[in-house]
Amino acid sequence: MKLKKAVALLVTAAMTMSIMAGCGSNGDSKTSADADKQSETQDASKEDSGEIKEFTAFFATPGSEINDDNEVQQIIAERVGAKCKETWLTGQTDKEAIGTMIAGGEYPDFIEGGSATPQLIDAGALVPLDDYLDQYPNIKALFSEQDWDKLRQSDGHIYFIPQFGTVKGRERVCTHNDEAFWIQTRVLEWAGYPKVETMDEYFDLIEAYNEANPTMEDGTTNIPYTILCEDWRYFCLENAPQFLDGYPNDGSCIVDPDELKVIDYNTTPTAKRYFQKLNEEYQKGIVDPESFTQTYDEYISKLSTGRVLGMIDQWWDFAYTAEDSIKSQGLDAQGCQYVPLPITIEKGMKNQWHNSGAVLNVSSGIAITTSCDDVEGALQFMNDLLDQEIHNLRFWGVEGVDYSVNENGEFVRSTEQRQQATDSAYKASHLCTYSYFPQYSGTSDDGINANKTDGQENEFFDGLSDSVKKCFEAYGAQTYVEMIGTTEAPGAWYPMWSYSNSLNTSTEGGTAWTLMGEIKHEYLPKVVMAADFESAWEEYMTAYDGCNPQAFLDEMQAELDRRMEEAAKYE
């Protein structure tokens, strides 16, 4: 109770100081003095009027809503003169939810449609943004002219703004925010921190540990390996062959960087070998029998118990739910947290699970809908959220409450503050990241601090549990990225998933892509569970060939060629 009162007092003080401070510039050299003056005038007007605009947003992905009286949201509202009520996907797919909105013709002010973004554009539900962008310097500075041009649709307009992947200043990466073979630190510690490089070594280790340690400390039965397959998240099952062969995450295909040729990773020898391995592990009882029926919520709940020894997933898909839960329950002390391993199909291969540089998603982003009565105000709100001081509030919290500043100007957190940041109740009542609005990684305008806590090297390492620190030290690493390794950014085509995500059945290649997805959803679980793998694989390949995958590959090759031609214009 004392802590809660102290937080309230500090938040009130911070809010008062924030209102008095006025709006600072974003520190970007592209921002003109006129823009700064305009921003100061707008802020002064906000303070004089006391008006706080209220917007609404829907994001077609599961997420956590915050309390209506969230403290940091209120500070931001007082600071920029606006706030946003966010809602998230529940109980539907993104296409189902967006389809219902399109049928009704009513939308929130902001929307992120996910894979249904093309339907929103076709329905005329989104406001073209290109004529507005020059008026909002923080938004305009997110991307180069070349990247903004990549976001133009066939009619020449820009309808959405990608929220993620933009790096300001020096790149700061401590977490591997992408896909990997993950394994709990307790497994590695038990085995004496062995060098694990191949898929076979990974499963051999999990098998050996589970045989020697079938339960957790409290007697709960371990789950050696589980797979998330629900809806679009079936990437956790199907796309590993591209990584195992040493390629980056183009998502829907492999690109040979030397020949600039599209390759189908679903039919490679490595693909067959990978699924045969899963089949073998399923027959041994290593693969969770609920893998192909569990929902995303059930999967996260399962991981949160600490029972699951390993899985393939994207860090962002489980870390801010299951990992936080593991830490809040004290299960990190038992070694139940996950670290990534540099797995390939054979030893000695270069892996590209992690690449440096930004990734531009040209298939979706946050948009403003035709139901919004104040497009300029909505854009100003997004612009203000990118101001460095507001960005600090979003991702660091309130100084003196969520972090402090040391003698070197570095943001640091105490153990208690780190624990607060992982507590679901505290996040709902206090923290407000506006996580699906545009944001930066990299380095703050002060040149010292990372834009997000997970990029602050000293703070990151200090905040690790002892089990993860011990694991990193054993492998000569200090971060998740160093555990898995990093490579240079792929070529100008990358990533191809940003094109395939926008495909629909209006083209032969898009129709093939849709059918390929349906066949993989249907057949891959059967392949993994089959008593006779060879027969199941042959049946799967026959059905897959019937989808006309070459039409998809041809369309992807045409897009690859187009991207390379466009890139050449800017060289």
Side-chain angles (χ1 to χ4, degrees), residues 124-423:
L126 305 184
V127 175
L129 301 177
D130 29 299
D131 289 340
Y132 292 96
L133 294 175
D134 286 337
Q135 303 171 46
Y136 302 94
N138 289 353
I139 296 175
K140 189 65 182 293
L142 279 167
F143 309 114
S144 66
E145 288 297 336
Q146 179 181 0
D147 284 344
W148 280 116
D149 283 342
K150 291 178 182 178
L151 296 169
R152 295 188 185 278
Q153 303 303 300
S154 57
D155 62 3
H157 288 302
I158 297 169
Y159 290 99
F160 54 81
I161 302 169
Q163 310 98 308
F164 312 108
T166 302
V167 180
K168 180 193 284 189
R170 178 168 61 90
E171 188 171 24
R172 310 278 287 274
V173 184
C174 297
T175 56
H176 172 64
N177 199 44
D178 305 307
E179 196 163 346
F181 277 91
W182 300 90
I183 196 166
Q184 289 185 329
T185 59
R186 59 175 167 144
V187 180
L188 296 171
E189 182 178 14
W190 171 82
Y193 301 108
K195 191 173 185 179
V196 185
E197 300 176 278
T198 69
M199 174 182 69
D200 290 336
E201 290 174 342
Y202 175 84
F203 281 108
D204 287 348
L205 175 57
I206 284 179
E207 283 185 48
Y209 178 86
N210 190 65
E211 183 177 359
N213 306 274
T215 66
M216 298 177 66
E217 289 182 5
D218 65 356
T220 302
T221 302
N222 286 323
I223 299 172
Y225 187 85
T226 196
I227 308 170
L228 176 60
C229 298
E230 187 186 29
D231 196 32
W232 57 271
R233 286 184 171 90
Y234 85 121
F235 62 78
C236 298
L237 170 65
E238 65 89 23
N239 73 3
Q242 63 183 334
F243 296 109
L244 289 171
D245 271 334
Y247 291 94
N249 188 21
D250 272 301
S252 51
C253 63
I254 286 171
V255 173
D256 183 320
D258 298 320
E259 298 185 11
L260 293 176
K261 180 181 178 182
V262 168
I263 299 169
D264 187 351
Y265 65 69
N266 297 287
T267 58
T268 63
T270 293
K272 181 177 181 181
R273 187 170 161 186
Y274 162 67
F275 286 107
Q276 187 164 17
K277 186 65 178 178
L278 290 182
N279 176 272
E280 292 170 1
E281 298 301 325
Y282 183 86
Q283 304 304 329
K284 293 177 183 177
I286 297 301
V287 172
D288 178 10
E290 297 177 353
S291 291
F292 309 113
T293 56
Q294 64 188 345
T295 65
Y296 174 70
D297 288 342
E298 289 168 342
Y299 166 82
I300 291 298
S301 178
K302 196 173 290 183
L303 262 60
S304 298
T305 65
R307 299 171 63 199
V308 178
L309 304 182
M311 74 287 180
I312 288 179
D313 202 349
Q314 298 264 355
W315 172 259
W316 50 260
D317 200 34
F318 71 91
Y320 307 107
T321 48
E323 273 275 310
D324 281 355
S325 179
I326 285 167
K327 287 185 282 188
S328 66
Q329 296 175 73
L331 292 172
D332 53 329
Q334 295 183 32
C336 293
Q337 288 181 276
Y338 298 96
V339 294
L341 293 175
I343 302 298
T344 52
I345 197 67
E346 296 287 356
K347 282 183 177 291
M349 295 175 63
K350 171 186 174 184
N351 88 80
Q352 292 193 70
W353 291 94
H354 187 92
N355 298 104
S356 61
V359 176
L360 180 67
N361 180 8
V362 299
S363 63
S364 68
I366 192 166
I368 297 174
T369 74
T370 52
S371 293
C372 179
D373 295 327
D374 185 4
V375 174
E376 290 86 355
L379 284 164
Q380 186 61 51
F381 176 62
M382 280 200 290
N383 191 79
D384 290 339
L385 289 182
L386 290 166
D387 179 273
Q388 188 65 63
E389 294 179 17
I390 303 303
H391 201 279
N392 289 349
L393 279 167
R394 291 169 64 188
F395 294 101
W396 281 94
V398 178
E399 182 181 348
V401 177
D402 300 298
Y403 70 97
S404 58
V405 183
N406 68 17
E407 64 277 8
N408 298 318
E410 295 175 323
F411 295 172
V412 295
R413 296 188 296 180
S414 66
T415 300
E416 184 179 28
Q417 287 168 337
R418 295 186 196 105
Q419 290 173 340
Q420 284 178 171
T422 65
D423 181 78

Side-chain angles (χ1 to χ4, degrees), residues 78-94:
E78 296 288 349
R79 183 74 168 76
V80 308
K83 64 192 301 186
C84 184
K85 175 65 176 177
E86 302 174 320
T87 55
W88 305 81
L89 188 68
T90 53
Q92 292 178 298
T93 67
D94 51 359

Side-chain angles (χ1 to χ4, degrees), residues 453-465:
T453 57
D454 62 10
Q456 192 92 325
E457 295 84 356
N458 291 338
E459 162 60 25
F460 169 81
F461 191 77
D462 289 345
L464 294 173
S465 66

Side-chain angles (χ1 to χ4, degrees), residues 494-538:
Y494 185 77
M496 294 301 290
W497 55 256
S498 67
Y499 178 74
S500 58
N501 278 6
S502 65
L503 290 177
N504 56 47
T505 54
S506 63
T507 67
E508 187 179 7
T511 300
W513 175 237
T514 300
L515 292 173
M516 288 157 62
E518 291 173 355
I519 288 297
K520 287 194 283 186
H521 269 291
E522 178 183 355
Y523 279 86
L524 287 178
K526 295 178 182 178
V527 165
V528 175
M529 295 186 291
D532 182 347
F533 172 80
E534 289 294 341
S535 295
W537 182 259
E538 184 177 346

